[in-house]
Amino acid sequence: TYKDAKGKWRGPGGRRVYTAKQQARRALRKAERKAAREARRAARERRRAEKQAKSDRRDQRDLQKHLEWRQRKLEQKARRDAKKRVRRDYSGIDPDFPGAGWRQHTAEEIEDCVTCRYVWLQVEQDIGNTQMEDNVYDAFNQNALEAMKQPIFYPAVQIMYDAVDDMIGDYMDGLAVNQICENSLLCRMPEN
């Protein structure tokens, strides 16, 4: 062994020679560097795992939102289809009268029935069970005039004005709105 120009000990082949104290210090520094590398690697892995977990949670939340949205859309479609089916299948047949025919009502008959029920339900709401014919007529007149503002209700209201005395009599007798409209032939059972 010999000392080089910098005062470092060199061994055979020019290799650096360390004392036991230097070797211990070098081993300690090497272990510290290795521990620091391991700590940095563990921190990187932890950050990567946290990022992945956050991404997974976000994906799960997005998937859940998508599934809820899809379920809502399916329910809306089912409701729309059911409404279409009800409109298409509407025949006005009362299940309590199974012997009734299967002819479907025309649009005009349905409009007349809806108008009659609308006006008389409004009358019923406005005056309730009154025993004064004048009050019934006034409530009918007010609601009928309001309904006539809509062109679709106008023809049915004219028919109701022609039969107003009989309808008021039925109302005073305590008949239900549906029965009043059926007695005035605005709501008819379908015919064979």
Side-chain angles (χ1 to χ4, degrees):
T1 60
Y2 63 93
K3 278 190 175 182
D4 63 5
K6 295 182 179 179
K8 308 282 185 187
W9 287 99
R10 300 281 176 185
R15 285 193 193 154
R16 178 96 187 265
V17 177
Y18 297 98
T19 63
K21 190 175 180 181
Q22 289 175 330
Q23 286 177 352
R25 209 173 324 155
R26 282 190 75 215
L28 183 63
R29 279 198 304 263
K30 188 174 181 182
E32 287 172 351
R33 283 195 302 268
K34 185 176 181 183
R37 274 196 311 271
E38 291 296 326
R40 285 194 300 272
R41 185 180 299 123
R44 272 196 310 271
E45 290 296 325
R46 190 172 56 251
R47 283 195 301 271
R48 187 177 297 128
E50 288 171 358
K51 189 175 180 181
Q52 185 63 41
K54 188 176 180 182
S55 175
D56 290 346
R57 283 194 303 272
R58 188 172 54 244
D59 291 346
Q60 185 68 25
R61 192 171 57 245
D62 291 346
L63 177 64
Q64 184 67 28
K65 283 183 181 177
H66 175 73
L67 291 175
E68 289 170 359
W69 173 84
R70 183 74 181 139
Q71 184 66 29
R72 279 196 310 272
K73 288 295 181 186
L74 289 173
E75 289 170 358
Q76 289 172 354
K77 185 177 185 314
R79 281 196 299 273
R80 277 196 310 270
D81 291 347
K83 283 181 183 175
K84 286 180 188 174
R85 195 167 39 254
V86 166
R87 281 197 298 266
R88 189 176 59 242
D89 294 344
Y90 176 75
S91 62
I93 294 174
D94 190 336
D96 295 334
F97 298 97
W102 293 93
R103 184 186 70 80
Q104 287 189 338
H105 286 302
T106 64
E108 184 178 308
E109 290 171 338
I110 295 170
E111 291 167 5
D112 291 350
C113 185
V114 168
T115 304
C116 180
R117 293 186 74 246
Y118 169 76
V119 170
W120 281 100
L121 284 170
Q122 289 293 326
V123 169
E124 192 175 62
Q125 181 180 355
D126 288 347
I127 60 171
N129 295 330
T130 185
Q131 296 300 318
M132 307 248 335
E133 285 188 19
D134 290 341
N135 290 348
V136 177
Y137 181 80
D138 290 342
F140 168 80
N141 191 41
Q142 178 185 357
N143 288 300
L145 290 175
E146 191 68 26
M148 285 176 70
K149 292 179 182 176
Q150 302 300 322
I152 195 168
F153 293 154
Y154 189 86
V157 172
Q158 289 299 319
I159 295 170
M160 284 195 296
Y161 269 118
D162 292 341
V164 71
D165 293 329
D166 294 334
M167 297 176 94
I168 289 175
D170 288 342
Y171 186 85
M172 296 297 291
D173 290 342
L175 295 182
V177 170
N178 289 341
Q179 193 64 45
I180 293 171
C181 293
E182 283 180 20
N183 289 351
S184 65
L185 300 180
L186 285 165
C187 293
R188 293 184 282 278
M189 293 297 295
E191 300 165 356
N192 286 333

